[in-house]
Amino acid sequence: MASTRPAPRPAPRLPRAARTRFAWAAAALLATVSLTGCGQESAPPHAATATAETETEFNENGVTVRLSVADWKSDAGTLVATFTPDEAGFHLYSTALPAEGVEGVGRPTEVRPVGSVATAGEMTVDKPVKSITVPGVRAAVPVYPDGPVTVTLPIRATAPGEAKVLIGYASCSSTEGCTIPVADRAVSLRTSEHGLSFGTS
């Protein structure tokens, strides 16, 4: 049974005159809830076993981000992040985009663990990168096709304790303009002898 969540609010948009120049969003800490089965109860740390999958999600600035940890065995597994724009016709930027964008335009899609969890392999993305031109920008800008994008990243626990996944992205439409970028949005993880679970920041 799918979990029920409230409909996302309309995303704040940059003014029309500033659609091709992004202002960095301030980092925010997220209090998240572990979703188990069809329920939405907060799961205690011992509920995450060595083989259990955990997941959580949030919606900010026009994009819903769902995070899950799959195939967790011993001290390693796979972090899966799916970015879904709220409106049709919006795309996300490539993970390879420079942090400052291209001539100030764009924000790379980012999934970065810190703390007691570290990257354990290469990041992969389920969509191909394409280049687009943006008014006022001489160089091509690398983006993903409009719609959802899933990023997969092998991770491992380096020690029991607190960890965070820092999330960054921006969504944009060639006709509707761009939403305000999100930078270093923190989602908490906890590692213990019982496994790994999402927790409260």
Side-chain angles (χ1 to χ4, degrees):
M1 179 172 64
S3 61
T4 301
R5 58 181 177 85
R9 297 178 179 178
R13 302 272 176 85
L14 293 177
R16 182 176 297 274
R19 284 177 176 174
T20 59
R21 300 293 171 196
F22 289 144
W24 295 108
L29 296 179
L30 172 68
T32 58
V33 177
S34 175
L35 302 182
T36 56
C38 293
Q40 297 180 343
E41 297 294 327
S42 178
H46 66 268
T49 65
T51 58
E53 294 187 7
T54 57
E55 69 175 36
T56 190
E57 71 176 51
F58 67 89
N59 179 281
E60 186 171 336
N61 293 3
V63 177
T64 295
V65 181
R66 173 168 290 185
L67 297 168
S68 64
V69 177
D71 303 322
W72 187 261
K73 297 178 182 178
S74 182
D75 61 353
T78 302
L79 179 64
V80 181
T82 298
F83 299 78
T84 304
D86 294 340
E87 299 182 45
F90 278 76
H91 62 256
L92 291 135
Y93 290 88
S94 168
T95 58
L97 188 77
E100 67 277 8
V102 174
E103 299 178 28
V105 172
R107 174 64 169 86
T109 301
E110 183 178 34
V111 178
R112 180 164 56 93
V114 295
S116 62
V117 171
T119 299
E122 293 295 322
M123 178 182 293
T124 59
V125 184
D126 71 339
K127 296 294 191 302
V129 174
K130 65 177 185 176
S131 295
I132 64 171
T133 56
V134 177
V137 179
R138 291 169 296 177
V141 181
V143 303
Y144 297 113
D146 293 351
V149 173
T150 297
V151 175
T152 303
L153 180 68
I155 58 173
R156 62 183 177 84
T158 57
E162 298 294 331
K164 294 183 185 297
V165 181
L166 301 182
I167 303 295
Y169 58 86
S171 66
C172 204
S173 164
S174 60
T175 58
E176 299 296 325
C178 302
T179 60
I180 296 174
V182 171
D184 292 342
R185 180 68 149 88
V187 178
S188 291
L189 288 172
R190 173 178 289 275
T191 59
S192 71
E193 62 182 3
H194 303 290
L196 181 148
S197 62
F198 288 99
T200 302
S201 297

